[in-house]
Amino acid sequence: ILAEGLRPIERQRVHLSVDTPAAREVGRRRCPSPAVLRIDTARAAEAGVRFYHAGPSVWLSDDLPPACLSRVE
């Protein structure tokens, strides 16, 4: 993901959590020790990525290029 970017695999858009605890909780649905990524939203927006508010703690986005991603943990 850090080399190729983040893409929706079986969905239309990438699903994003608003904070690290929420991301960790969602990630644990598939993996006991998920990687948590930070999105540089300003850089992504400059690259043309669109974000969509989907709920109180969820955002959706277009594909995210690797330059907009960093690993939190």
Side-chain angles (χ1 to χ4, degrees):
I1 291 172
L2 293 175
E4 297 180 20
L6 189 57
R7 298 183 191 110
I9 296 174
E10 296 176 358
R11 300 177 178 218
Q12 291 183 328
R13 304 221 185 272
V14 176
H15 286 62
L16 307 169
S17 299
V18 296
D19 56 37
T20 301
R24 191 178 299 112
E25 182 179 333
V26 170
R28 285 189 181 134
R29 293 177 191 166
R30 294 186 180 238
C31 172
S33 182
V36 177
L37 303 176
R38 175 172 285 120
I39 311 300
D40 184 337
T41 55
R43 190 175 205 174
E46 288 173 7
V49 175
R50 298 201 54 196
F51 293 91
Y52 311 89
H53 193 238
S57 62
V58 179
W59 284 80
L60 306 175
S61 77
D62 299 330
D63 294 5
L64 290 158
C68 301
L69 308 173
S70 61
R71 188 169 179 160
V72 172
E73 50 187 57

